[in-house]
Amino acid sequence: MKKQVLKWFIPSLFLVSCSSVGHLHTEDIITNDLPVTDSEKILVYSTKPNQTIKFDVLGQVISCADAGKDAKIAVKLLKKEAALLGADAIIDLRLEIGMGNWSNSIKASGTAIKIK
């Protein structure tokens, strides 16, 4: 019986992916607790938006997901974390590839902002 369990358990470990997320609300600005926004509507910029757009910085967001085929999962998780802060957009998006023994991961990080 023990061998049967191990026969199925060990291969299943290779099919499982891990994800983690987090955010840090900054104290740079004074804000009321903003309502959660729709993560599907959050804009993502790899740089700061043009200077005509005014915004408040809400905090830093970070996510890490199994690499798979692309970075979409990590960015989707990042947008969900920004939505918890009440953000409208993420600026300064950074993507990093982590090489592991069993699989690769993609870490996404950025700054959550509220557009005025």
Side-chain angles (χ1 to χ4, degrees):
M1 178 68 176
K2 199 176 209 180
K3 287 184 181 183
Q4 284 290 65
V5 171
L6 290 176
K7 178 181 172 182
W8 292 105
F9 179 72
I10 292 175
S12 68
L13 291 176
F14 294 103
L15 301 174
V16 176
S17 65
C18 297
S19 300
S20 60
V21 294
H23 64 265
L24 173 64
H25 188 78
T26 64
E27 302 299 330
D28 299 1
I29 60 169
I30 300 171
T31 60
N32 297 330
D33 288 328
L34 298 171
V36 174
T37 55
D38 182 2
S39 65
E40 298 292 323
K41 295 181 180 177
I42 291 180
L43 304 171
V44 179
Y45 300 96
S46 60
T47 60
K48 287 186 172 66
N50 73 41
Q51 295 176 346
T52 60
I53 297 175
K54 303 294 182 202
F55 59 86
D56 289 326
V57 173
L58 300 178
Q60 296 296 311
V61 287
I62 188 169
S63 71
C64 187
D66 188 29
K69 295 181 181 178
D70 54 34
K72 287 182 183 178
I73 295 171
V75 173
K76 186 175 183 175
L77 292 171
L78 192 72
K79 290 168 78 172
K80 286 183 179 183
E81 279 301 299
L84 293 176
L85 292 175
D88 296 321
I90 298 169
I91 59 173
D92 296 329
L93 174 69
R94 297 289 176 253
L95 297 173
E96 297 177 30
I97 297 174
M99 308 294 251
N101 290 333
W102 300 105
S103 67
N104 297 332
S105 65
I106 295 182
K107 180 176 101 172
S109 62
T111 304
I113 63 168
K114 185 72 172 174
I115 298 173
K116 292 182 181 181

